[in-house]
Amino acid sequence: MGKEVKTNVMRILDRAKIPYKPWFYSNEDGKIDGVSVAEKLGEDPDRVFKTLVTRGADKSYYVFVVPVAMELNLKAAAKSVGVKSVEMIHVDEINRVTGYIRGGCSPVGMKKQFRTVIDSRCEALPTIFVSAGRIGSQVEVAPRALLALTGGATAEVAEPMPET
């Protein structure tokens, strides 16, 4: 595995004096989806969260952070930020909008701080895992600290993935 380096997310957390634990995993197998990352970390997928970026009917961007084994309920997400609707942004927009790439998007350290909502399931957990801003790295952080740093709120915005 490559060198474990501090990411911009970790530097931001350090500057804000927010305690976190860095985690690193191998991504050479190409498995970077959230459930695979949770398995690689040996963690419950309910504690590992993914960062999703949407565009609202008002053309503003909104960030939602949900457990990796769940999906974003678009109606609940829109209601949580007070807009008529939200839709996922296209993969090729992620870098331009956030500064991150798909699989390495973090709610911390985007080009601009967008309104952020973390699924309310985080409230029952002492810590959650979110991307450290690079594929192969995660940070474990207290949800309250993450909410304070991002100016975020919580709402029930995740739902189970449909059965396939």
Side-chain angles (χ1 to χ4, degrees):
M1 187 159 46
K3 206 165 70 162
E4 295 175 1
V5 285
K6 272 206 181 190
T7 66
N8 194 41
V9 169
M10 294 172 193
R11 287 189 285 277
I12 290 168
L13 291 169
D14 286 341
R15 272 197 305 275
K17 297 188 175 14
I18 293 174
Y20 67 93
K21 182 176 179 185
W23 290 78
F24 301 92
Y25 61 92
S26 169
N27 60 321
E28 291 163 9
D29 60 6
K31 293 182 179 176
I32 61 167
D33 65 278
V35 174
S36 296
V37 170
E39 287 171 6
K40 291 176 183 190
L41 297 174
E43 289 296 331
D44 182 339
D46 291 343
R47 293 188 59 218
V48 181
F49 283 59
K50 60 189 172 187
T51 303
L52 305 171
V53 183
T54 65
R55 182 183 300 103
D58 62 353
K59 303 297 182 211
S60 295
Y61 293 103
Y62 299 97
V63 175
F64 295 94
V65 184
V66 301
V68 295
M70 301 187 87
E71 66 181 19
L72 184 63
N73 176 319
L74 295 174
K75 282 189 169 139
K79 184 178 177 190
S80 75
V81 294
V83 295
K84 185 178 176 186
S85 63
V86 296
E87 62 182 17
M88 298 296 295
I89 65 169
H90 198 270
V91 171
D92 62 12
E93 292 179 270
I94 293 172
N95 183 260
R96 182 178 50 77
V97 171
T98 68
Y100 291 122
I101 61 168
R102 181 182 173 272
C105 195
S106 177
V108 175
M110 289 187 184
K111 286 180 177 179
K112 184 178 174 207
Q113 183 63 59
F114 300 111
R115 188 152 168 207
T116 302
V117 176
I118 303 176
D119 185 75
S120 57
R121 288 164 182 80
C122 75
E123 295 169 332
L125 302 168
T127 59
I128 61 172
F129 293 77
V130 295
S131 174
R134 180 178 296 147
I135 294 172
S137 60
Q138 295 270 307
V139 288
E140 181 180 3
V141 62
R144 288 200 180 286
L146 187 60
L147 286 162
L149 181 65
T150 61
T154 60
E156 198 169 316
V157 293
E159 64 186 7
M161 297 261 193
E163 298 293 321
T164 50

